[in-house]
Amino acid sequence: MATDIKDTAHSVDAASVMRLVPNRPRLLALGEPTHGEDALLELRNDLFRQLVEQEGYRTIAIESDCLMGLVVDDYVTSGTGSLDDAMAHGISHDWGAFAGNRELVRWMRDYNDGRPASERLRFAGFDGPLEITAAASPRQALTALHGYLSARVDTSLLPCTADALDRLLGADDRWTEPAAMMDPSRSTGRSSEAGELRVLADDLAALLDEQMPHLLAESTAEEWDRARLYARTANGLLRYHHWMADSSPARLTRLVSVRDQMMARNLLALADRGPVFVYAHNGHLQREKSSMRMGGDRLEWWSAGALVNARLGADYAFVATALGTIRHRGVGTPPPDTLEGMLYALPQQSSVIDPARLALTLGDTSPAPRVSPWFGYAALDPAHLNAIDGIMFVKDVTRS
C-alpha cells in the first residue's frame, strides 16, 4: 500500500495545489492542525510567494483580529509605521512574535515597495477581535463607523450622537472582564446599555446600506471597505457579548458559532477582492461541522469554511495540513493504522496529497482516527477525506 500512496504524493508547490482544484478559487484556504510552529509557517510563506508570482493572488488572510490587521495592511501597502510596530500591534493572540509571521510581513513590504497600488499585496486578519479570555470592547468598530458616516451623510440621519455612543459604551474594561468567559453574570452583554448599542449598531449598518450610492461616490474603495468591516465587527462583537451573558446550556455553542460566523463574513467580503489565500486552523476552514470539548461538554458548530463553502461553492477550496510528529510537544510517530501513519511512510519531508486518489488507493481500508496526546494538536479526521481538496502532509515538525 505504501507504494500506491507514494503515487498520490507530489511536491509542495503552487502548481501541485492548483492541479487539485478545477479552477482558480476566489478563496484558497490552507489549514494547520496546530498553532505556532514556524516550520508550517515557512511552508505557508513559500506557497503564498508562488501563488503571488504564478497565480495572481494578491491578498493573504490569517486567523487574527480583523481590526488589528489594518495596522499590518497599512504597513505592507504604504510603509506606515515600522515592522516592529506592525508585529506588536497588528497580529493578535501574540502571534506577531512568530518568526514565520514576521518574515511574511517583511517580504510583503519588500515586494510592494515601488509597485503601483493595483499590484500591491494586501494583508488581512479575518478573525473577530476575540481572545481566549475576553472579547474586545465594540468601541473601536462603533466609533469608527459612526465617524465615517457623520463625515459623509446628513447628521440628522444618524441614530445617535458620538457623545451618546460614548456614554453607552462606558469604560472598556466592562467589556473585557476576563471572568465573564466562565461566569456569564460578570458579562455586560445583556445590560440595558448593550441592548441599546445593538439597536444603534444595526441602525448604523442599515444607514451604510441605504446611503451606498452616495457613500461610494464620496469615499475611496479603501474607506468603503473599512466602513463595512467596522459595521460587521460592531454587530458581531455585540452579538458575541450578548451570548457571553447567557446562562443556558447553549452558551458555549453560540459563542463558537458567532466567532466562525464573523470569520465567514469577513472572508466573503475579502473574496470580493479575489483571489485570496487564507490560512487558519483546519477546524475553522473545513467543510464539515467542527467540534471540540470545552468545560467537559462536546460542542459542534458550522465552521467558517463550511459557511463560506455554502455561499461560494467551487470558488472555495480547502487544503488541510496533516503531520506525523511534533516530538517537542510529545506527539510521536503516528500509529500505522491511522491516516497520518500511512502517510508517514512517504519518503519526502513534505508532500501534497490528492485526497480523491488517496481514497481510491485505500479502497475498503478505513484508517483509524488518531488520538492526539497533546491538546494543542488536532489530527485529521479520516471521515472528512471526501470534503477536502488537498492534503499537505509534513512528516516531522521540529522545534523552531
Side-chain angles (χ1 to χ4, degrees), residues 184-219:
S185 70
R186 299 292 295 273
S187 171
T188 192
R190 295 197 177 184
S191 64
S192 59
E193 293 88 351
E196 288 187 59
L197 286 168
R198 289 191 77 185
V199 173
L200 291 174
D202 184 65
D203 285 343
L204 288 168
L207 185 59
L208 196 67
D209 289 340
E210 293 163 11
Q211 295 292 314
M212 185 186 301
H214 167 70
L215 293 170
L216 286 173
E218 295 294 319
S219 308

Side-chain angles (χ1 to χ4, degrees), residues 249-372:
R251 177 178 184 263
L252 293 177
T253 299
R254 292 308 304 262
L255 288 176
V256 292
S257 297
V258 169
R259 181 188 180 192
D260 270 77
Q261 184 188 51
M262 292 177 73
M263 288 183 168
R265 289 179 173 174
N266 285 333
L267 288 176
L268 289 169
L270 289 169
D272 291 338
R273 292 182 189 171
V276 181
F277 180 53
V278 183
Y279 189 77
H281 196 281
N282 286 330
H284 289 304
L285 299 177
Q286 65 190 37
R287 290 184 172 95
E288 304 287 357
K289 264 192 168 181
S290 296
S291 64
M292 67 181 296
R293 290 204 169 273
M294 186 178 291
D297 297 323
R298 178 180 171 84
L299 311 180
E300 292 189 352
W301 72 99
W302 289 109
S303 72
L307 297 173
V308 168
N309 182 69
R311 290 282 298 275
L312 296 185
D315 272 329
Y316 179 71
F318 170 49
V319 176
T321 297
L323 53 84
T325 71
I326 327 175
R327 298 191 190 280
H328 56 282
R329 299 292 190 185
V331 181
T333 304
D337 62 340
T338 63
L339 185 63
E340 289 88 349
M342 295 172 184
L343 295 176
Y344 199 73
L346 292 169
Q348 304 97 321
Q349 165 60 14
S350 58
S351 310
V352 170
I353 315 294
D354 181 345
R357 291 191 63 194
L358 178 59
L360 288 174
T361 300
L362 294 176
D364 295 331
T365 301
S366 297
R370 186 183 189 184
V371 178
S372 173

